[in-house]
Amino acid sequence: MATVSSVLPAIAEGQVKDAASAKMFMSKLMNSLVRAHIEDGRIISGQLWCFDQLRNLILLNGFETRTDQEGQQQHRSLGPLVMVPGKYILKLEATKAASEAAAAAAEAEAAKEQDEADEAK
């Protein structure tokens, strides 16, 4: 059985080598369900639709989850399109399956680009 570290490249483990690798990985997460943890303790969940260079996210069918002082969670719908400002995002999570698929696709695309560059020489 493969371990997580042998299956996922460094990108998926949070060790981004360069900006191009990070952008490629994030682009492969499009349409995946994600959770954005923000500074005030809320978690905004939804389907990743797009992001920009300032790390602002647009999520489809967003939901907010709050945990009160008693440890109970409160959920509410935020609407069909939700913009989460990047300056407030502490952490972005995707399901393991989505992140593995994105990492594999990003790795394959990077290998293809490298092969094309090698053939051009």
Side-chain angles (χ1 to χ4, degrees):
M1 181 175 192
T3 62
V4 173
S5 59
S6 67
V7 174
L8 297 177
I11 297 169
E13 295 176 350
Q15 302 169 3
V16 178
K17 294 178 181 173
D18 58 18
S21 296
K23 287 178 185 177
M24 191 178 309
F25 178 75
M26 285 297 294
S27 70
K28 300 301 179 186
L29 280 179
M30 293 300 176
N31 297 318
S32 298
L33 293 176
V34 297
R35 294 189 304 190
H37 295 256
I38 57 178
E39 289 180 352
D40 63 2
R42 292 181 292 162
I43 300 172
I44 311 296
S45 304
Q47 185 178 354
L48 181 60
W49 192 48
C50 67
F51 64 95
D52 64 13
Q53 63 192 18
L54 299 174
R55 298 184 315 157
N56 298 321
L57 301 177
I58 303 291
L59 303 177
L60 296 174
N61 303 318
F63 282 89
E64 172 187 270
T65 303
R66 289 180 183 254
T67 304
D68 61 16
Q69 294 174 348
E70 299 164 358
Q72 296 180 348
Q73 291 187 341
Q74 301 169 347
H75 306 281
R76 74 176 178 128
S77 176
L78 298 175
L81 285 176
V82 177
M83 195 279 267
V84 183
K87 65 182 181 180
Y88 299 119
I89 298 173
L90 299 175
K91 178 170 66 169
L92 184 66
E93 295 178 328
T95 62
K96 183 177 178 182
S99 61
E100 284 177 347
E107 190 175 271
E109 192 168 319
K112 180 182 173 186
E113 289 175 3
Q114 183 64 37
D115 289 344
E116 289 173 356
D118 290 344
E119 288 177 6
K121 288 182 180 179

